[in-house]
Amino acid sequence: MTDTAKHTPLVFSGMQPTNTLHLGNYLGALKNWVKLQERMPCIYCVVDMHAITVESDSKALAQATREVTAAYIAAGVDPKRSILFNQSQVAAHAELAWVFNCVARLGWLNRMTQFKDKAGKNRENASVGLFVYPNLMAADILAYRATHVPVGEDQKQHLELARDIAQKFNNDFNAPDFFPLPEPFIVGPGTRVMSLRDGTKKMSKSDESDYSRINLTDDADTIAQKVRKARTDPNPLPDTLEGLAGRPEAENLINIYAALADHTPETVIGEYAGAQFSVFKNALADLAVAKLTPLAQEMRTLLSDPAEIDRILKNGAERASAIAAPVMAEVRRLVGFVG
Ligand code: TYM
């Protein structure tokens, strides 16, 4: 029996409300979230407390929180079926994160590559919150004793840490199997969408060039232009996946096409074997516009009623708090907190 089999299946995942979401967020995570709703109960969070680990502006944060909520719903997250809320409305996240700050070891956090990337050369000036961020992420998941976490490839290391924290808590407090060891759910050809300007770099919200990414709010012309301007090499497309070796930009565009079309990369290569990039890019631009512009339109409609978005988040937060409450009561008892 795997560890998660001892626990009731439950999905948890989240995204940071920093800037607009992009194609990587959609293909790496959000698209899978929507499908998982058919299979298991799901909790989807807008992790606003994570967003303040880097410099943030209060108005922009509130706006981005509503925008990310709208993106979840527009992509197909059903707020009646799944629980959808913003992290700061449920105090259990911060409370459990403190306990985990005392469980996780400094050496574990020192190994986190995302901290190194984000802090850059100016490590001394990074917030302490950015350093202990993975402990908060573990708390997000484990406050609900969630078993499955659908994310993109870049979150794998954080999830391994969450498993280590769960295991150490269970051992330290003599509570075998209290926390599940959450399983990463990283599937499909879109788990690592790369920059459109450099196939060796991840598509990211923080890249200076807007041409490096497709934002979920881009209009049809902008999407088409970004695809047509995407960096490529001079050769036509190969006829096998092996032929993509050493051609990161070509590989990235094939994977994006496959993820958007719900095909395998093999099928896409089969269809476009020997094609010039100009031909393939036109097809990809049409596909991206067809898949993404209805989502942007739906987001705009939802955002025209921010009060309704706030109601959805509040309702989700109440349902989330009710699940976390008994878990936190048991955590307090296990740790030895009186009252
Ligand atoms: P965040 O906000 O950076 O990204 C949200 C999700 O999008 C995925 N992603 C990508 N997938 C494929 N290609 C890309 N280029 C790409 N860029 C981003 C991420 O893997 C993620 O799934 N720490 C998390 C948020 C978080 C969380 C959690 C996730 C906080 N608590 C608990 C799961 C469970 C983050 O910063 O994701």
Side-chain angles (χ1 to χ4, degrees), residues 5-169:
K6 297 177 199 143
H7 295 269
T8 313
L10 177 65
V11 170
F12 182 96
S13 199
M15 297 202 187
Q16 293 196 56
T18 33
N19 306 327
T20 340
L21 297 185
H22 55 69
L23 188 63
N25 301 129
Y26 178 61
L27 297 178
L30 196 45
K31 207 160 174 275
N32 289 334
W33 294 9
V34 174
K35 289 187 197 148
L36 278 169
Q37 295 179 114
E38 309 291 329
R39 292 174 37 195
M40 290 180 210
C42 299
I43 305 180
Y44 295 128
C45 186
V46 182
V47 291
D48 49 3
M49 285 159 64
H50 284 274
I52 64 166
T53 55
V54 292
E55 223 160 277
S56 81
D57 165 281
S58 53
K59 263 206 195 112
L61 178 62
Q63 173 60 20
T65 298
R66 294 189 182 105
E67 237 183 74
V68 171
T69 308
Y72 288 4
I73 301 171
V77 170
D78 175 354
K80 289 204 177 72
R81 174 192 280 203
S82 300
I83 295 180
L84 198 173
F85 73 108
N86 57 316
Q87 185 186 28
S88 58
Q89 291 205 63
V90 179
H93 294 250
E95 186 182 355
L96 188 57
W98 177 255
V99 174
F100 288 171
N101 284 343
C102 304
V103 171
R105 305 289 92 180
L106 209 57
W108 298 359
L109 289 166
N110 269 330
R111 286 197 285 275
M112 295 295 115
T113 55
Q114 200 166 74
F115 174 76
K116 289 179 197 159
D117 291 346
K118 285 201 176 175
K121 289 198 184 83
N122 207 357
R123 191 186 147 104
E124 293 298 304
N125 207 32
S127 75
V128 177
L130 187 66
F131 186 68
V132 293
Y133 168 119
N135 296 345
L136 178 58
M137 179 162 159
D140 298 338
I141 301 162
L142 294 170
Y144 306 96
R145 300 210 279 188
T147 53
H148 292 79
V149 187
V151 283
E153 184 75 40
D154 62 343
Q155 295 301 315
K156 208 170 165 190
Q157 194 185 34
H158 288 158
L159 278 171
E160 280 158 11
L161 186 89
R163 291 168 65 90
D164 289 345
I165 290 175
Q167 181 77 67
K168 187 166 190 303
F169 181 97

Side-chain angles (χ1 to χ4, degrees), residues 212-258:
S212 69
R213 65 184 157 258
I214 293 173
N215 301 308
L216 295 189
T217 46
D218 283 345
D219 62 23
D221 288 347
T222 310
I223 295 173
Q225 218 186 13
K226 285 178 175 175
V227 171
R228 293 203 180 95
K229 288 203 164 168
R231 187 171 153 190
T232 43
D233 57 50
N235 301 319
L237 285 167
D239 45 18
T240 61
L241 283 186
E242 292 72 47
L244 289 171
R247 300 178 65 186
E249 283 84 16
E251 186 178 13
N252 187 35
L253 295 185
I254 293 284
N255 281 337
I256 291 176
Y257 190 107

